[in-house]
Amino acid sequence: MSRTGRSVMDGSRRESFVSHALLIFASLVALYPFVQILLVALHEPGARVTGFSVPTSLHFDNFVTAWNKGLFSSALVSSLLVAVGVVVITLVVSVLAGYAFALFTFPLKGPLMGILLIGLVLPYEATVIPLYYQMKEWGLLNTYWALILPQVGLSLALGTFWMRNFFAGVPRSLREAAEIDGASRFQTLRRIMLPLAVPALTTLATLLFLYAWNEFLLALVLVPNNPDVQTAPLALSFFSSDRRNSDPGVTSAAAVLVALPVLIGYIALQRKFISGMLAGAVKE
């Protein structure tokens, strides 16, 4: 092998080593908080743990205490209902709107797309107070709809933009073939576009589910007085701020219970999530 070829191979190996080292380091940094909280939760009840401490034996009493005292069964169900509602409604509207913006011509198409883009960068904290008075006027405070409707509205900008980009990247030949076969626009969407959009829809659904599950500020403002509809992050906040539940092991166990469903869901959908992120990266 020539000296140039060896130099290229050595450079490639160094680059690969550095890339893998950076990825491993970033993974450790990202995992450290969760692992530390999990280890604190697995310590003996009442133990005062400081720093990164590995328990000598595993104790699950903290999880039982957190589950019973925090009423997290109801909170987890509420979070699931809200997240699923937000995901389903947003996906349906985003698919229809994204399909229209990508392939149809209609009046004010450009200005409407500009308004949607503003929604991507507008800090939603600025809308919380107006949303509170709007929900109060509609009589929806302390209900599931007070959490679902605002989050659907806040998610539509991302969802529409996401699906518009995907549909715009579908080869025109597929649409023309459907038109030649006599398919209507809706039939083209249902039979051609949607099957191709499954990875993109999965990724969008995962992102929306994560956002909806972890939403705290809207829940704190819009459903503070109804324990039956309070979501898991809000229940965790109330639980951890209660002096009667000041045991760090119990609080850590409660945090793990709230985060565990999202973690399991992400691990299960990881491959589809990544494939959806890459969908449309290569265009014809």
Side-chain angles (χ1 to χ4, degrees):
M1 183 180 296
S2 65
R3 182 176 301 178
T4 303
R6 291 179 180 177
S7 178
V8 171
M9 288 186 62
D10 291 340
S12 177
R13 289 174 180 174
R14 284 195 298 268
E15 182 179 352
S16 178
F17 174 79
V18 172
S19 300
H20 283 81
L22 289 175
L23 288 174
I24 293 173
F25 176 75
S27 300
L28 293 176
V29 171
L31 289 174
Y32 175 78
F34 181 80
V35 173
Q36 185 180 30
I37 292 175
L38 179 61
L39 292 178
V40 172
L42 292 174
H43 272 79
E44 185 179 0
R48 298 296 173 179
V49 183
T50 58
F52 193 88
S53 176
V54 179
T56 56
S57 59
L58 301 182
H59 299 271
F60 296 93
D61 296 339
N62 290 326
F63 291 93
V64 176
T65 302
W67 183 267
N68 293 332
K69 287 187 176 181
L71 302 177
F72 285 106
S73 58
S74 175
L76 291 173
V77 171
S78 296
S79 286
L80 183 62
L81 291 175
V82 171
V84 170
V86 170
V87 169
V88 171
I89 297 175
T90 304
L91 286 184
V92 172
V93 179
S94 296
V95 165
L96 297 176
Y99 185 58
F101 274 109
L103 305 178
F104 301 160
T105 300
F106 52 89
L108 301 178
K109 178 179 178 180
L112 288 174
M113 196 65 206
I115 294 174
L116 283 174
L117 292 178
I118 293 175
L120 289 175
V121 298
L122 180 68
Y124 91 98
E125 291 83 0
T127 67
V128 171
I129 301 303
L131 283 173
Y132 172 83
Y133 286 106
Q134 186 68 71
M135 294 298 108
K136 183 178 181 181
E137 182 179 348
W138 290 350
L140 296 178
L141 287 179
N142 297 301
T143 66
Y144 286 122
W145 289 113
L147 294 177
I148 294 175
L149 293 178
Q151 292 189 72
V152 168
L154 293 169
S155 302
L156 279 178
L158 171 63
T160 302
F161 185 70
W162 186 284
M163 297 311 302
R164 173 201 172 274
N165 287 346
F166 176 82
F167 289 137
V170 175
R172 182 177 178 82
S173 58
L174 292 177
R175 304 195 304 268
E176 293 175 345
E179 293 174 0
I180 293 174
D181 289 339
S184 64
R185 290 177 173 178
F186 182 76
Q187 289 174 331
T188 301
L189 171 63
R190 183 168 60 90
R191 297 178 180 179
I192 305 298
M193 296 297 189
L194 284 182
L196 294 175
V198 169
L201 288 171
T202 302
T203 303
L204 179 60
T206 303
L207 292 174
L208 294 175
F209 187 87
L210 291 175
Y211 294 155
W213 184 277
N214 293 322
E215 176 55 49
F216 172 73
L217 183 58
L218 286 178
L220 179 63
V221 175
L222 301 178
V223 294
N225 301 321
N226 188 355
D228 294 334
V229 301
Q230 288 176 356
T231 56
L234 184 61
L236 176 61
S237 175
F238 290 160
F239 180 78
S240 61
S241 62
D242 191 344
R243 292 184 177 181
R244 294 172 298 178
N245 304 313
S246 58
D247 188 342
V250 176
T251 303
S252 298
V256 173
L257 290 174
V258 172
L260 197 58
V262 175
L263 182 62
I264 294 174
Y266 177 77
I267 293 175
L269 298 174
Q270 182 180 11
R271 291 191 176 183
K272 290 186 177 180
F273 180 84
I274 296 175
S275 64
M277 292 291 289
L278 298 176
V282 178
K283 299 181 184 293
E284 293 185 358

